[in-house]
Amino acid sequence: MEAFADTVIELAGHTEVFRVDRRKLMSGVDLFGHLTVSARVSVFGAAGIEQRWTQDLGGELLELRPDLQHAPRVPAVSIDGPISHDRTGPVYISITTATDLWFPRVVGIHDDPAEHRHQWLDNSVLARRHTPRFNAFLAGARDAVAALGGGWSCDVGVNVRYADWFDVAGVRLGQPGLLELLVRWSGRICTVRSTNAEAVAGELDLVEMRLVPRFGGFCIEPPPAGLREMRVIQREGRFARLDMQLNGSALTRGDLDAVFGVGVGAPRVHFDSFHTLTYRWNQPSALYGCEITAEFEGDPTADTPVTGLSMHRRDR
């Protein structure tokens, strides 16, 4: 169970859903000890959307809404894990969110009831930035539980209004956007054991996907929404990477930084070469790692659109 806890903590740290000092964990019955952890979330600040590590979203709300007199202390995520000493009782962990910040639609409980009674408010701008990481963490935790022969379930808790917005896979963001698909594909690149390019492509969950042979690999037809072209590249018969050309401004550097962390720049080989940033995305205990390279036509700021993307499979 301690090895399992290490896997969960490593996964949470990688996705930045929460972080905790391993030394603060307890032993025996309360391994996780109902931890209140720091989580990295997106909030609206004075300068626009900001990424913040926080243990108390109530405090964040009071800072952003000085008109409020009081807000309860609310963690973004908490985790609890009673462990049976004698192994005769159930062994489980509970991952809980007491805030609706992860959801694309929220109820404005602090707003004027006459104006917003029973209305859903749009939170998709924030959810689109941090919820894909939350879902990726849940997927990894679910895989770790399955590896131990355990079960996985979800409970609506006390607020039934949000019951339709999540299931065992995590929070529903509606039709998956390109950013959520990138998180999903990077995870599959890391965890699918096959080296066959067609087999890896088959794990991308693309509806009505056709693999059209092209020199050095295949083109995926039709390409997913937001992409002008998507290619599966192979080397010596083995899967090597996904190459994507984007349509318009569907994705920006700020979107990638919010989910994958700050990218590392590389020297340009020519004065009119693309500007590139590289992001590394690994999953605990996965056979492979994933390296994501983004191309930009100019020196990228947070709002600069991504022109092209490559997702490389790397041996760990």
Side-chain angles (χ1 to χ4, degrees), residues 184-206 209 211 218 220 230-234 237-242 288 290 311-313:
R184 183 184 303 175
W185 296 338
S186 62
R188 297 295 169 82
I189 287 174
C190 291
T191 56
V192 173
R193 290 186 171 273
S194 177
T195 60
N196 180 272
E198 294 184 62
V200 175
E203 295 291 335
L204 300 181
D205 292 339
L206 296 175
M209 176 187 70
L211 292 178
F218 307 89
I220 290 180
M230 183 174 184
R231 298 181 62 196
V232 182
I233 306 299
Q234 56 185 357
R238 296 165 60 92
F239 171 80
R241 69 179 191 270
L242 298 176
Y288 302 100
C290 181
M311 306 183 76
H312 303 253
R313 171 182 272 188

Side-chain angles (χ1 to χ4, degrees), residues 14-181:
H14 174 66
T15 56
E16 296 189 329
V17 167
F18 68 79
R19 59 185 178 187
V20 65
D21 187 339
R22 181 67 175 82
R23 293 170 298 181
K24 292 184 178 180
L25 293 189
M26 304 176 72
S27 60
V29 174
D30 249 350
L31 180 61
F32 283 103
H34 196 70
L35 287 175
T36 297
V37 295
S38 295
R40 186 166 75 97
V41 296
S42 297
V43 298
F44 284 108
I49 297 177
E50 301 175 3
Q51 299 280 328
R52 297 184 183 179
W53 283 97
T54 181
Q55 287 188 341
D56 177 21
L57 285 174
E60 300 287 344
L61 181 61
L62 288 176
E63 179 182 335
L64 300 173
R65 291 282 303 271
D67 57 303
L68 300 177
Q69 300 298 316
H70 172 73
R73 182 176 177 85
V74 178
V77 179
S78 60
I79 184 167
D80 193 9
I83 305 298
S84 173
H85 272 303
D86 57 9
R87 299 178 181 267
T88 60
V91 177
Y92 66 93
I93 66 167
S94 174
I95 301 166
T96 306
T97 172
T99 172
D100 56 12
L101 192 66
W102 305 103
F103 293 92
R105 295 291 185 273
V106 299
V107 177
I109 60 174
H110 295 294
D111 293 323
D112 184 357
E115 182 180 355
H116 295 299
R117 185 182 299 276
H118 305 305
Q119 289 188 10
W120 289 98
L121 305 179
D122 187 358
N123 186 54
S124 59
V125 173
L126 298 183
R128 200 166 58 240
R129 288 175 174 261
H130 51 220
T131 301
R133 292 188 286 103
F134 184 60
N135 287 343
F137 163 69
L138 292 177
R142 186 170 67 248
D143 290 345
V145 169
L148 293 174
W152 183 268
S153 63
C154 62
D155 186 356
V156 69
V158 298
N159 199 330
V160 297
R161 289 177 293 185
Y162 291 95
D164 292 334
W165 287 102
F166 69 93
D167 54 25
V168 292
V171 177
R172 296 192 185 103
L173 291 173
Q175 183 68 21
L178 181 57
L179 191 61
E180 187 176 8
L181 289 174

Side-chain angles (χ1 to χ4, degrees), residues 1 11 43 98 171 218 225 258 272 304:
M1 291 308 302
L11 181 67
V43 298
V171 177
F218 307 89
D272 61 352
T304 303

